[in-house]
Amino acid sequence: QVQLVESGGGVVQPGRSLRLSCAASGFTFSTYAMHWVRQAPGKGLEWVAIISYDGYNKYYADSVRGRFTISRDNSKNTLYLQMNSLSVEETAVYYCARSTSGTYYNPFDYWGQGTLVTVSS
Amino acid sequence: DIQMTQSPSTLSASVGDRVTITCRASQSISSWLAWYQQKPGKAPKLLIYKASNLESGVPSRFSGSGSGTDFTLTISSLQPDDFATYYCQQYNNYWTFGQGTKVEIK
């Protein structure tokens, strides 16, 4: 069965960096585009970034472009999100999610359980 | 950027009720719309894609309709497991979610 397991969350000071990971299993990871989505406490869902199945194409929300980097290692079936210059407002649960196919404009059919990132001094 | 607006923000209903949630896009998105259900502390679950297509395993009491800018999610007979928050999402141009509709017990 498809599984996505995020890790790497925790408490980080404003302005610092953090890297999240998402370990995938139960499907051919290298053939699907993958996303990161975040949800601040008590708030709605915000799309963060997408990476193509082969890792060559990446797109970001305006709010994170230039500070966050999405990447993947298809040999390890793992998705990453490098987050730099974090602000308090970016405290959220970060989810990885699978696109329904290798192409970009699709909904998300599987999600991880999320990892909480708390930005606080 | 495409903005998605859901209404209502909160909906109080009873088991057995027919429930309708609306979602409006700031510009036409054709039928590139999905609906998700989220329960507290859990990840969202895909219910409907391409405006009206039921995801595998989702009960048939859920249905979606609409195209262009106006969309609806209908639950024909609300069940206890359906009390949750529902989000629409456009995937015509990048990905944008509505603010959510919480369906609570009346």
Side-chain angles (χ1 to χ4, degrees), chain B residues 2-43:
Chain B
I2 300 175
Q3 311 300 319
M4 306 300 292
T5 304
Q6 288 182 233
S7 61
S9 295
T10 306
L11 188 159
S12 298
S14 303
V15 172
D17 284 354
R18 181 181 182 87
V19 166
T20 299
I21 299 168
T22 65
C23 178
R24 176 164 288 175
S26 60
Q27 63 189 74
S28 178
I29 58 170
S30 185
S31 295
W32 306 119
L33 185 102
W35 289 97
Y36 297 84
Q37 176 193 67
Q38 187 180 33
K39 296 181 179 179
K42 300 295 186 181

Side-chain angles (χ1 to χ4, degrees), chain A residues 107, chain B residues 31-34 48-53 66 91:
Chain B
S31 295
W32 306 119
L33 185 102
I48 302 278
Y49 62 94
K50 207 174 178 183
S52 61
N53 292 272
Y91 52 98

Side-chain angles (χ1 to χ4, degrees), chain B residues 81-103:
Chain B
D81 191 49
D82 301 338
F83 292 98
T85 300
Y86 294 83
Y87 293 92
C88 62
Q89 177 205 38
Q90 69 82 18
Y91 52 98
N92 178 71
N93 185 11
Y94 289 82
W95 300 266
T96 316
F97 294 91
Q99 81 279 15
T101 295
K102 183 178 181 179
V103 177

Side-chain angles (χ1 to χ4, degrees), chain A residues 39 47 95 104-106 108 112, chain B residues 36 38 43 89 91 94-95:
Chain A
Q39 185 171 36
W47 173 77
Y95 295 100
Y104 297 146
Y105 291 113
N106 292 294
F108 311 157
Chain B
Y36 297 84
Q38 187 180 33
Q89 177 205 38
Y91 52 98
Y94 289 82
W95 300 266

